[in-house]
Amino acid sequence: MDYEAVLLSNIQQLVSLTKAEQISILDHFKPQKLKKKEYLIVKDDVSSYMNFIAKGSIRSFYMDDQGREHILQLGIEGWWINDLYSYLTQTPAKHYVQAVEESVVMRIHRSSLENLYNTVPVSERFFRLKIQGGYIALQERTILNMSQTAEERYIEFRTKYRSLEQRFPQYMVASYLGVTPEFLSSVRKKLATIEY
């Protein structure tokens, strides 16, 4: 797979790039392979990279005081994943980012990104749009969690992110939705009988 082409395609969905800009961008990104269950970011590390998933699936989660995992983000090819708070504030990460499948991430270090903003100004517009989009998605998810039932949240998730449901184990989808795997299983069975 041409991971560089996947990255450029993602960027060019939001901004146009000349050939020279494409080359410059690719000079700043480096691939990192992750084995299944390998960590990209560990709690208390400072996140210094922006991470684009070129292959595989990755999750972001935090552990509560009782040792329970709470999934904040699920990502597959073509998605960006990070502890953005840690990255932007340069403070210790509050959660983990871990490969669910064997994955490849295209990464750009914070200092390289700052350099890229100067050499390829359109890159700054791209990342501004990505961060704005991420903020909107987070706000939307927060509102849905407060205003919808668990069943409605699952239906919304399945409608918007069908490919995620098929790539992640049920217990991870349940954690992302804030329900137990047993509850999610019963909702899925109920919906299956209605659909047929």
Side-chain angles (χ1 to χ4, degrees), residues 67-86:
R68 290 183 305 246
E69 292 180 7
H70 300 273
I71 293 183
L72 304 169
Q73 187 180 1
L74 300 170
I76 57 173
E77 295 90 358
W79 293 38
W80 294 80
I81 196 160
N82 204 349
D83 181 327
L84 196 56
Y85 184 85
S86 173

Side-chain angles (χ1 to χ4, degrees), residues 124-142:
E124 189 165 17
R125 175 170 159 56
F126 170 78
F127 280 102
R128 178 176 54 80
L129 292 171
K130 289 310 281 185
I131 290 170
Q132 286 174 348
Y135 177 77
I136 291 166
L138 176 63
Q139 190 172 42
E140 194 174 72
R141 182 174 173 206
T142 302

Side-chain angles (χ1 to χ4, degrees), residues 20-187:
E21 288 170 335
Q22 291 176 30
I23 291 166
S24 184
I25 285 170
L26 293 178
D27 284 344
H28 287 79
F29 277 85
K30 304 294 178 231
Q32 180 172 339
K33 292 182 180 181
L34 297 169
K35 295 176 184 161
K36 184 176 180 177
K37 297 189 177 184
E38 187 176 350
Y39 289 94
L40 185 65
I41 299 172
V42 177
K43 183 180 182 283
D44 295 328
D45 284 352
V46 175
S47 174
S48 297
Y49 291 86
M50 291 298 276
N51 305 297
F52 174 75
I53 306 169
K55 174 191 170 199
S57 61
I58 298 177
R59 68 183 180 138
S60 167
F61 67 96
Y62 79 94
M63 300 279 283
D64 66 21
D65 293 339
Q66 288 74 43
R68 290 183 305 246
E69 292 180 7
H70 300 273
I71 293 183
L72 304 169
Q73 187 180 1
L74 300 170
I76 57 173
E77 295 90 358
W79 293 38
W80 294 80
I81 196 160
N82 204 349
D83 181 327
L84 196 56
Y85 184 85
S86 173
Y87 178 86
L88 293 173
T89 62
Q90 288 296 278
T91 56
K94 301 215 185 301
H95 57 269
Y96 301 84
V97 177
Q98 181 188 38
V100 175
E101 304 169 344
E102 190 174 291
S103 301
V104 176
V105 177
M106 297 295 289
R107 309 184 86 193
I108 184 167
H109 192 273
R110 186 180 169 86
S111 59
S112 284
L113 185 56
E114 289 298 324
N115 179 265
L116 189 62
Y117 289 161
N118 294 324
T119 57
V120 182
V122 72
S123 64
E124 189 165 17
R125 175 170 159 56
F126 170 78
F127 280 102
R128 178 176 54 80
L129 292 171
K130 289 310 281 185
I131 290 170
Q132 286 174 348
Y135 177 77
I136 291 166
L138 176 63
Q139 190 172 42
E140 194 174 72
R141 182 174 173 206
T142 302
I143 291 168
L144 293 179
N145 282 343
M146 292 187 296
S147 63
Q148 290 185 327
T149 66
E151 186 174 317
E152 289 169 335
R153 287 197 309 272
Y154 171 66
I155 292 168
E156 176 91 9
F157 172 83
R158 193 172 71 166
T159 302
K160 274 183 149 174
Y161 306 115
R162 188 70 178 179
S163 58
L164 289 184
E165 183 182 27
Q166 295 163 354
R167 295 281 293 276
F168 291 90
Q170 182 172 307
Y171 79 92
M172 288 186 188
V173 173
S175 174
Y176 177 80
L177 294 172
V179 299
T180 64
E182 296 77 18
F183 179 83
L184 181 58
S185 182
S186 68
V187 168

